[in-house]
PDB file of all heavy atoms in Angstrom:
ATOM      1  N   LYS F   1    -198.485  32.471-228.760  1.00 88.00           N
ATOM      2  CA  LYS F   1    -199.084  31.227-229.060  1.00 88.00           C
ATOM      3  C   LYS F   1    -200.602  31.166-228.638  1.00 88.00           C
ATOM      4  O   LYS F   1    -200.806  31.345-227.429  1.00 88.00           O
ATOM      5  CB  LYS F   1    -198.257  30.017-228.497  1.00 88.00           C
ATOM      6  CG  LYS F   1    -196.944  29.821-229.150  1.00 88.00           C
ATOM      7  CD  LYS F   1    -196.233  28.566-228.708  1.00 88.00           C
ATOM      8  CE  LYS F   1    -194.877  28.371-229.344  1.00 88.00           C
ATOM      9  NZ  LYS F   1    -194.976  28.261-230.855  1.00 88.00           N
ATOM     10  N   VAL F   2    -201.535  30.817-229.471  1.00 92.00           N
ATOM     11  CA  VAL F   2    -202.866  30.758-229.050  1.00 92.00           C
ATOM     12  C   VAL F   2    -203.421  29.411-229.610  1.00 92.00           C
ATOM     13  O   VAL F   2    -202.870  28.711-230.345  1.00 92.00           O
ATOM     14  CB  VAL F   2    -203.690  31.845-229.780  1.00 92.00           C
ATOM     15  CG1 VAL F   2    -203.199  33.292-229.294  1.00 92.00           C
ATOM     16  CG2 VAL F   2    -203.637  31.794-231.286  1.00 92.00           C
ATOM     17  N   SER F   3    -204.564  29.040-228.958  1.00 93.00           N
ATOM     18  CA  SER F   3    -205.158  27.702-229.241  1.00 93.00           C
ATOM     19  C   SER F   3    -205.691  27.771-230.709  1.00 93.00           C
ATOM     20  O   SER F   3    -206.196  28.795-231.196  1.00 93.00           O
ATOM     21  CB  SER F   3    -206.416  27.494-228.326  1.00 93.00           C
ATOM     22  OG  SER F   3    -206.971  26.182-228.616  1.00 93.00           O
ATOM     23  N   CYS F   4    -205.391  26.640-231.455  1.00 94.00           N
ATOM     24  CA  CYS F   4    -205.921  26.616-232.873  1.00 94.00           C
ATOM     25  C   CYS F   4    -207.386  26.755-232.974  1.00 94.00           C
ATOM     26  O   CYS F   4    -208.181  26.093-232.335  1.00 94.00           O
ATOM     27  CB  CYS F   4    -205.432  25.184-233.416  1.00 94.00           C
ATOM     28  SG  CYS F   4    -205.973  25.007-235.093  1.00 94.00           S
ATOM     29  N   ASP F   5    -207.783  27.630-233.824  1.00 93.00           N
ATOM     30  CA  ASP F   5    -209.238  27.927-234.093  1.00 93.00           C
ATOM     31  C   ASP F   5    -209.889  26.913-234.925  1.00 93.00           C
ATOM     32  O   ASP F   5    -211.129  26.889-235.057  1.00 93.00           O
ATOM     33  CB  ASP F   5    -209.503  29.311-234.500  1.00 93.00           C
ATOM     34  CG  ASP F   5    -208.690  29.586-235.846  1.00 93.00           C
ATOM     35  OD1 ASP F   5    -208.014  28.744-236.286  1.00 93.00           O
ATOM     36  OD2 ASP F   5    -208.853  30.744-236.304  1.00 93.00           O
ATOM     37  N   VAL F   6    -209.107  26.082-235.593  1.00 95.00           N
ATOM     38  CA  VAL F   6    -209.625  25.001-236.461  1.00 95.00           C
ATOM     39  C   VAL F   6    -210.048  23.849-235.666  1.00 95.00           C
ATOM     40  O   VAL F   6    -211.183  23.287-235.817  1.00 95.00           O
ATOM     41  CB  VAL F   6    -208.714  24.690-237.608  1.00 95.00           C
ATOM     42  CG1 VAL F   6    -209.313  23.561-238.472  1.00 95.00           C
ATOM     43  CG2 VAL F   6    -208.308  25.882-238.424  1.00 95.00           C
ATOM     44  N   CYS F   7    -209.226  23.361-234.823  1.00 95.00           N
ATOM     45  CA  CYS F   7    -209.449  22.058-234.048  1.00 95.00           C
ATOM     46  C   CYS F   7    -209.752  22.387-232.502  1.00 95.00           C
ATOM     47  O   CYS F   7    -209.880  21.429-231.742  1.00 95.00           O
ATOM     48  CB  CYS F   7    -208.270  21.141-234.187  1.00 95.00           C
ATOM     49  SG  CYS F   7    -206.716  21.696-233.409  1.00 95.00           S
ATOM     50  N   ASN F   8    -209.712  23.706-232.167  1.00 94.00           N
ATOM     51  CA  ASN F   8    -209.934  24.113-230.814  1.00 94.00           C
ATOM     52  C   ASN F   8    -208.950  23.446-229.830  1.00 94.00           C
ATOM     53  O   ASN F   8    -209.220  23.059-228.706  1.00 94.00           O
ATOM     54  CB  ASN F   8    -211.291  23.726-230.271  1.00 94.00           C
ATOM     55  CG  ASN F   8    -212.395  24.538-231.076  1.00 94.00           C
ATOM     56  OD1 ASN F   8    -212.218  25.703-231.286  1.00 94.00           O
ATOM     57  ND2 ASN F   8    -213.409  23.909-231.466  1.00 94.00           N
ATOM     58  N   GLY F   9    -207.637  23.278-230.347  1.00 93.00           N
ATOM     59  CA  GLY F   9    -206.617  22.774-229.500  1.00 93.00           C
ATOM     60  C   GLY F   9    -206.594  21.237-229.446  1.00 93.00           C
ATOM     61  O   GLY F   9    -205.792  20.699-228.600  1.00 93.00           O
ATOM     62  N   LEU F  10    -207.392  20.561-230.178  1.00 95.00           N
ATOM     63  CA  LEU F  10    -207.499  19.074-230.030  1.00 95.00           C
ATOM     64  C   LEU F  10    -206.515  18.263-230.938  1.00 95.00           C
ATOM     65  O   LEU F  10    -206.403  17.088-230.932  1.00 95.00           O
ATOM     66  CB  LEU F  10    -208.913  18.588-230.358  1.00 95.00           C
ATOM     67  CG  LEU F  10    -209.985  19.004-229.312  1.00 95.00           C
ATOM     68  CD1 LEU F  10    -211.352  18.581-229.765  1.00 95.00           C
ATOM     69  CD2 LEU F  10    -209.631  18.436-227.926  1.00 95.00           C
ATOM     70  N   ARG F  11    -205.843  19.089-231.882  1.00 95.00           N
ATOM     71  CA  ARG F  11    -204.745  18.489-232.696  1.00 95.00           C
ATOM     72  C   ARG F  11    -205.167  17.699-233.897  1.00 95.00           C
ATOM     73  O   ARG F  11    -204.422  17.442-234.764  1.00 95.00           O
ATOM     74  CB  ARG F  11    -203.817  17.716-231.873  1.00 95.00           C
ATOM     75  CG  ARG F  11    -203.150  18.417-230.695  1.00 95.00           C
ATOM     76  CD  ARG F  11    -202.007  17.702-230.084  1.00 95.00           C
ATOM     77  NE  ARG F  11    -201.375  18.226-228.943  1.00 95.00           N
ATOM     78  CZ  ARG F  11    -200.084  18.108-228.511  1.00 95.00           C
ATOM     79  NH1 ARG F  11    -199.367  17.234-229.190  1.00 95.00           N
ATOM     80  NH2 ARG F  11    -199.629  18.727-227.478  1.00 95.00           N
ATOM     81  N   PHE F  12    -206.405  17.184-233.934  1.00 97.00           N
ATOM     82  CA  PHE F  12    -206.894  16.349-235.004  1.00 97.00           C
ATOM     83  C   PHE F  12    -207.958  16.974-235.756  1.00 97.00           C
ATOM     84  O   PHE F  12    -208.697  17.859-235.284  1.00 97.00           O
ATOM     85  CB  PHE F  12    -207.210  14.956-234.456  1.00 97.00           C
ATOM     86  CG  PHE F  12    -206.143  14.243-233.808  1.00 97.00           C
ATOM     87  CD1 PHE F  12    -205.921  14.368-232.424  1.00 97.00           C
ATOM     88  CD2 PHE F  12    -205.303  13.296-234.553  1.00 97.00           C
ATOM     89  CE1 PHE F  12    -204.910  13.611-231.798  1.00 97.00           C
ATOM     90  CE2 PHE F  12    -204.298  12.623-233.876  1.00 97.00           C
ATOM     91  CZ  PHE F  12    -204.140  12.826-232.566  1.00 97.00           C
ATOM     92  N   ASN F  13    -208.145  16.527-237.074  1.00 97.00           N
ATOM     93  CA  ASN F  13    -209.275  17.017-237.851  1.00 97.00           C
ATOM     94  C   ASN F  13    -210.639  16.418-237.380  1.00 97.00           C
ATOM     95  O   ASN F  13    -210.649  15.359-236.577  1.00 97.00           O
ATOM     96  CB  ASN F  13    -209.082  16.790-239.285  1.00 97.00           C
ATOM     97  CG  ASN F  13    -208.751  15.315-239.711  1.00 97.00           C
ATOM     98  OD1 ASN F  13    -209.413  14.368-239.142  1.00 97.00           O
ATOM     99  ND2 ASN F  13    -207.927  15.051-240.632  1.00 97.00           N
ATOM    100  N   SER F  14    -211.688  16.800-237.848  1.00 96.00           N
ATOM    101  CA  SER F  14    -212.951  16.451-237.430  1.00 96.00           C
ATOM    102  C   SER F  14    -213.268  14.922-237.744  1.00 96.00           C
ATOM    103  O   SER F  14    -214.008  14.289-236.893  1.00 96.00           O
ATOM    104  CB  SER F  14    -214.136  17.324-237.981  1.00 96.00           C
ATOM    105  OG  SER F  14    -214.003  17.283-239.411  1.00 96.00           O
ATOM    106  N   GLU F  15    -212.826  14.472-238.825  1.00 96.00           N
ATOM    107  CA  GLU F  15    -213.084  13.005-239.151  1.00 96.00           C
ATOM    108  C   GLU F  15    -212.426  12.126-238.077  1.00 96.00           C
ATOM    109  O   GLU F  15    -212.923  11.117-237.724  1.00 96.00           O
ATOM    110  CB  GLU F  15    -212.525  12.738-240.590  1.00 96.00           C
ATOM    111  CG  GLU F  15    -213.366  13.263-241.715  1.00 96.00           C
ATOM    112  CD  GLU F  15    -212.955  14.804-241.908  1.00 96.00           C
ATOM    113  OE1 GLU F  15    -211.938  15.181-241.297  1.00 96.00           O
ATOM    114  OE2 GLU F  15    -213.539  15.513-242.776  1.00 96.00           O
ATOM    115  N   THR F  16    -211.173  12.399-237.754  1.00 97.00           N
ATOM    116  CA  THR F  16    -210.453  11.625-236.747  1.00 97.00           C
ATOM    117  C   THR F  16    -211.132  11.709-235.384  1.00 97.00           C
ATOM    118  O   THR F  16    -211.199  10.690-234.663  1.00 97.00           O
ATOM    119  CB  THR F  16    -208.941  12.076-236.705  1.00 97.00           C
ATOM    120  OG1 THR F  16    -208.408  12.063-237.984  1.00 97.00           O
ATOM    121  CG2 THR F  16    -208.266  11.130-235.744  1.00 97.00           C
ATOM    122  N   LEU F  17    -211.550  12.903-235.084  1.00 97.00           N
ATOM    123  CA  LEU F  17    -212.169  13.183-233.703  1.00 97.00           C
ATOM    124  C   LEU F  17    -213.582  12.465-233.615  1.00 97.00           C
ATOM    125  O   LEU F  17    -214.069  12.315-232.523  1.00 97.00           O
ATOM    126  CB  LEU F  17    -212.295  14.658-233.580  1.00 97.00           C
ATOM    127  CG  LEU F  17    -210.995  15.442-233.261  1.00 97.00           C
ATOM    128  CD1 LEU F  17    -211.220  16.912-233.185  1.00 97.00           C
ATOM    129  CD2 LEU F  17    -210.245  14.908-232.027  1.00 97.00           C
ATOM    130  N   SER F  18    -214.136  12.108-234.767  1.00 97.00           N
ATOM    131  CA  SER F  18    -215.436  11.425-234.693  1.00 97.00           C
ATOM    132  C   SER F  18    -215.324   9.986-234.277  1.00 97.00           C
ATOM    133  O   SER F  18    -216.394   9.407-233.908  1.00 97.00           O
ATOM    134  CB  SER F  18    -216.133  11.518-236.077  1.00 97.00           C
ATOM    135  OG  SER F  18    -215.373  10.753-236.977  1.00 97.00           O
ATOM    136  N   VAL F  19    -214.214   9.421-234.239  1.00 97.00           N
ATOM    137  CA  VAL F  19    -213.920   8.012-233.742  1.00 97.00           C
ATOM    138  C   VAL F  19    -213.827   8.095-232.225  1.00 97.00           C
ATOM    139  O   VAL F  19    -212.994   8.774-231.724  1.00 97.00           O
ATOM    140  CB  VAL F  19    -212.646   7.461-234.331  1.00 97.00           C
ATOM    141  CG1 VAL F  19    -212.525   6.004-233.776  1.00 97.00           C
ATOM    142  CG2 VAL F  19    -212.771   7.388-235.886  1.00 97.00           C
ATOM    143  N   LEU F  20    -214.765   7.432-231.548  1.00 97.00           N
ATOM    144  CA  LEU F  20    -214.848   7.453-230.123  1.00 97.00           C
ATOM    145  C   LEU F  20    -214.512   6.125-229.491  1.00 97.00           C
ATOM    146  O   LEU F  20    -214.790   5.055-230.103  1.00 97.00           O
ATOM    147  CB  LEU F  20    -216.210   7.854-229.630  1.00 97.00           C
ATOM    148  CG  LEU F  20    -216.732   9.217-230.121  1.00 97.00           C
ATOM    149  CD1 LEU F  20    -218.135   9.514-229.523  1.00 97.00           C
ATOM    150  CD2 LEU F  20    -215.791  10.339-229.812  1.00 97.00           C
ATOM    151  N   TRP F  21    -213.780   6.087-228.330  1.00 97.00           N
ATOM    152  CA  TRP F  21    -213.535   4.946-227.533  1.00 97.00           C
ATOM    153  C   TRP F  21    -214.004   5.234-226.118  1.00 97.00           C
ATOM    154  O   TRP F  21    -213.488   6.144-225.563  1.00 97.00           O
ATOM    155  CB  TRP F  21    -212.163   4.493-227.624  1.00 97.00           C
ATOM    156  CG  TRP F  21    -211.785   3.225-226.779  1.00 97.00           C
ATOM    157  CD1 TRP F  21    -212.215   2.006-227.253  1.00 97.00           C
ATOM    158  CD2 TRP F  21    -211.045   3.137-225.563  1.00 97.00           C
ATOM    159  NE1 TRP F  21    -211.719   1.081-226.216  1.00 97.00           N
ATOM    160  CE2 TRP F  21    -211.062   1.817-225.224  1.00 97.00           C
ATOM    161  CE3 TRP F  21    -210.468   4.005-224.687  1.00 97.00           C
ATOM    162  CZ2 TRP F  21    -210.492   1.296-224.094  1.00 97.00           C
ATOM    163  CZ3 TRP F  21    -209.841   3.591-223.607  1.00 97.00           C
ATOM    164  CH2 TRP F  21    -209.863   2.253-223.225  1.00 97.00           C
ATOM    165  N   ARG F  22    -214.932   4.493-225.641  1.00 97.00           N
ATOM    166  CA  ARG F  22    -215.561   4.715-224.329  1.00 97.00           C
ATOM    167  C   ARG F  22    -216.020   6.132-224.183  1.00 97.00           C
ATOM    168  O   ARG F  22    -215.878   6.807-223.152  1.00 97.00           O
ATOM    169  CB  ARG F  22    -214.535   4.403-223.171  1.00 97.00           C
ATOM    170  CG  ARG F  22    -214.176   2.913-223.080  1.00 97.00           C
ATOM    171  CD  ARG F  22    -213.347   2.679-221.860  1.00 97.00           C
ATOM    172  NE  ARG F  22    -214.117   2.994-220.699  1.00 97.00           N
ATOM    173  CZ  ARG F  22    -213.530   3.110-219.476  1.00 97.00           C
ATOM    174  NH1 ARG F  22    -212.219   2.927-219.219  1.00 97.00           N
ATOM    175  NH2 ARG F  22    -214.320   3.379-218.379  1.00 97.00           N
ATOM    176  N   GLY F  23    -216.646   6.696-225.294  1.00 97.00           N
ATOM    177  CA  GLY F  23    -217.131   7.993-225.264  1.00 97.00           C
ATOM    178  C   GLY F  23    -216.221   9.081-225.376  1.00 97.00           C
ATOM    179  O   GLY F  23    -216.556  10.341-225.376  1.00 97.00           O
ATOM    180  N   LYS F  24    -214.942   8.878-225.603  1.00 97.00           N
ATOM    181  CA  LYS F  24    -213.924   9.830-225.726  1.00 97.00           C
ATOM    182  C   LYS F  24    -213.204   9.802-227.136  1.00 97.00           C
ATOM    183  O   LYS F  24    -212.944   8.709-227.659  1.00 97.00           O
ATOM    184  CB  LYS F  24    -212.823   9.745-224.650  1.00 97.00           C
ATOM    185  CG  LYS F  24    -213.369   9.747-223.234  1.00 97.00           C
ATOM    186  CD  LYS F  24    -213.647  11.217-222.800  1.00 97.00           C
ATOM    187  CE  LYS F  24    -214.037  11.252-221.267  1.00 97.00           C
ATOM    188  NZ  LYS F  24    -214.417  12.667-220.944  1.00 97.00           N
ATOM    189  N   SER F  25    -212.903  10.922-227.667  1.00 97.00           N
ATOM    190  CA  SER F  25    -212.137  11.020-228.853  1.00 97.00           C
ATOM    191  C   SER F  25    -210.693  11.041-228.532  1.00 97.00           C
ATOM    192  O   SER F  25    -210.219  11.211-227.348  1.00 97.00           O
ATOM    193  CB  SER F  25    -212.426  12.306-229.626  1.00 97.00           C
ATOM    194  OG  SER F  25    -211.984  13.470-228.993  1.00 97.00           O
ATOM    195  N   ILE F  26    -209.837  10.816-229.539  1.00 97.00           N
ATOM    196  CA  ILE F  26    -208.402  10.860-229.346  1.00 97.00           C
ATOM    197  C   ILE F  26    -207.968  12.159-228.826  1.00 97.00           C
ATOM    198  O   ILE F  26    -206.939  12.275-228.023  1.00 97.00           O
ATOM    199  CB  ILE F  26    -207.590  10.429-230.646  1.00 97.00           C
ATOM    200  CG1 ILE F  26    -206.154  10.174-230.393  1.00 97.00           C
ATOM    201  CG2 ILE F  26    -207.789  11.601-231.757  1.00 97.00           C
ATOM    202  CD1 ILE F  26    -205.857   8.820-229.813  1.00 97.00           C
ATOM    203  N   GLY F  27    -208.535  13.269-229.251  1.00 96.00           N
ATOM    204  CA  GLY F  27    -208.204  14.633-228.712  1.00 96.00           C
ATOM    205  C   GLY F  27    -208.643  14.754-227.272  1.00 96.00           C
ATOM    206  O   GLY F  27    -207.993  15.377-226.511  1.00 96.00           O
ATOM    207  N   ASP F  28    -209.793  14.174-226.915  1.00 97.00           N
ATOM    208  CA  ASP F  28    -210.231  14.265-225.475  1.00 97.00           C
ATOM    209  C   ASP F  28    -209.234  13.582-224.611  1.00 97.00           C
ATOM    210  O   ASP F  28    -208.954  13.978-223.512  1.00 97.00           O
ATOM    211  CB  ASP F  28    -211.608  13.669-225.361  1.00 97.00           C
ATOM    212  CG  ASP F  28    -212.758  14.374-226.099  1.00 97.00           C
ATOM    213  OD1 ASP F  28    -212.521  15.554-226.221  1.00 97.00           O
ATOM    214  OD2 ASP F  28    -213.741  13.667-226.488  1.00 97.00           O
ATOM    215  N   VAL F  29    -208.700  12.400-225.073  1.00 97.00           N
ATOM    216  CA  VAL F  29    -207.714  11.651-224.224  1.00 97.00           C
ATOM    217  C   VAL F  29    -206.488  12.521-224.005  1.00 97.00           C
ATOM    218  O   VAL F  29    -205.937  12.553-222.989  1.00 97.00           O
ATOM    219  CB  VAL F  29    -207.490  10.382-225.025  1.00 97.00           C
ATOM    220  CG1 VAL F  29    -206.181   9.609-224.256  1.00 97.00           C
ATOM    221  CG2 VAL F  29    -208.634   9.391-224.918  1.00 97.00           C
ATOM    222  N   LEU F  30    -206.006  13.205-224.979  1.00 96.00           N
ATOM    223  CA  LEU F  30    -204.784  14.088-224.877  1.00 96.00           C
ATOM    224  C   LEU F  30    -205.000  15.103-223.793  1.00 96.00           C
ATOM    225  O   LEU F  30    -204.096  15.557-223.075  1.00 96.00           O
ATOM    226  CB  LEU F  30    -204.420  14.697-226.197  1.00 96.00           C
ATOM    227  CG  LEU F  30    -203.485  13.862-227.184  1.00 96.00           C
ATOM    228  CD1 LEU F  30    -203.312  14.602-228.516  1.00 96.00           C
ATOM    229  CD2 LEU F  30    -202.251  13.583-226.552  1.00 96.00           C
ATOM    230  N   ASN F  31    -206.265  15.573-223.768  1.00 95.00           N
ATOM    231  CA  ASN F  31    -206.566  16.740-222.818  1.00 95.00           C
ATOM    232  C   ASN F  31    -206.943  16.090-221.387  1.00 95.00           C
ATOM    233  O   ASN F  31    -207.202  16.880-220.545  1.00 95.00           O
ATOM    234  CB  ASN F  31    -207.689  17.526-223.239  1.00 95.00           C
ATOM    235  CG  ASN F  31    -207.292  18.453-224.495  1.00 95.00           C
ATOM    236  OD1 ASN F  31    -206.132  18.779-224.517  1.00 95.00           O
ATOM    237  ND2 ASN F  31    -208.198  18.802-225.362  1.00 95.00           N
ATOM    238  N   MET F  32    -206.991  14.804-221.299  1.00 96.00           N
ATOM    239  CA  MET F  32    -207.265  14.184-219.982  1.00 96.00           C
ATOM    240  C   MET F  32    -206.069  14.219-218.993  1.00 96.00           C
ATOM    241  O   MET F  32    -204.902  14.123-219.388  1.00 96.00           O
ATOM    242  CB  MET F  32    -207.673  12.718-220.305  1.00 96.00           C
ATOM    243  CG  MET F  32    -208.185  11.974-219.106  1.00 96.00           C
ATOM    244  SD  MET F  32    -208.574  10.256-219.562  1.00 96.00           S
ATOM    245  CE  MET F  32    -209.998  10.544-220.726  1.00 96.00           C
ATOM    246  N   SER F  33    -206.403  14.519-217.704  1.00 95.00           N
ATOM    247  CA  SER F  33    -205.360  14.517-216.729  1.00 95.00           C
ATOM    248  C   SER F  33    -204.793  13.171-216.464  1.00 95.00           C
ATOM    249  O   SER F  33    -205.501  12.103-216.687  1.00 95.00           O
ATOM    250  CB  SER F  33    -205.852  15.123-215.496  1.00 95.00           C
ATOM    251  OG  SER F  33    -206.670  14.227-214.751  1.00 95.00           O
ATOM    252  N   ILE F  34    -203.621  12.923-216.035  1.00 96.00           N
ATOM    253  CA  ILE F  34    -203.077  11.655-215.689  1.00 96.00           C
ATOM    254  C   ILE F  34    -203.871  10.938-214.713  1.00 96.00           C
ATOM    255  O   ILE F  34    -204.072   9.731-214.764  1.00 96.00           O
ATOM    256  CB  ILE F  34    -201.505  11.843-215.376  1.00 96.00           C
ATOM    257  CG1 ILE F  34    -200.754  12.168-216.585  1.00 96.00           C
ATOM    258  CG2 ILE F  34    -201.025  10.491-214.646  1.00 96.00           C
ATOM    259  CD1 ILE F  34    -199.319  12.695-216.269  1.00 96.00           C
TER     260      ILE F  34
END
């Protein structure tokens, strides 16, 4: 298993990742530590 080369492991497409909340995308939040 390797990181996806399309989304770089962020799980979402670029249009979805362009929506930011407090400077973070939904993919950034998933990669955030607890």
Side-chain angles (χ1 to χ4, degrees):
K1 292 186 180 298
V2 298
S3 180
C4 175
D5 54 359
V6 178
C7 65
N8 294 318
L10 294 177
R11 301 191 182 206
F12 296 92
N13 57 37
S14 57
E15 292 81 6
T16 307
L17 292 172
S18 66
V19 177
L20 304 181
W21 181 70
R22 296 188 61 192
K24 301 284 186 182
S25 71
I26 191 79
D28 295 330
V29 169
L30 274 177
N31 287 336
M32 189 180 291
S33 74
I34 289 167

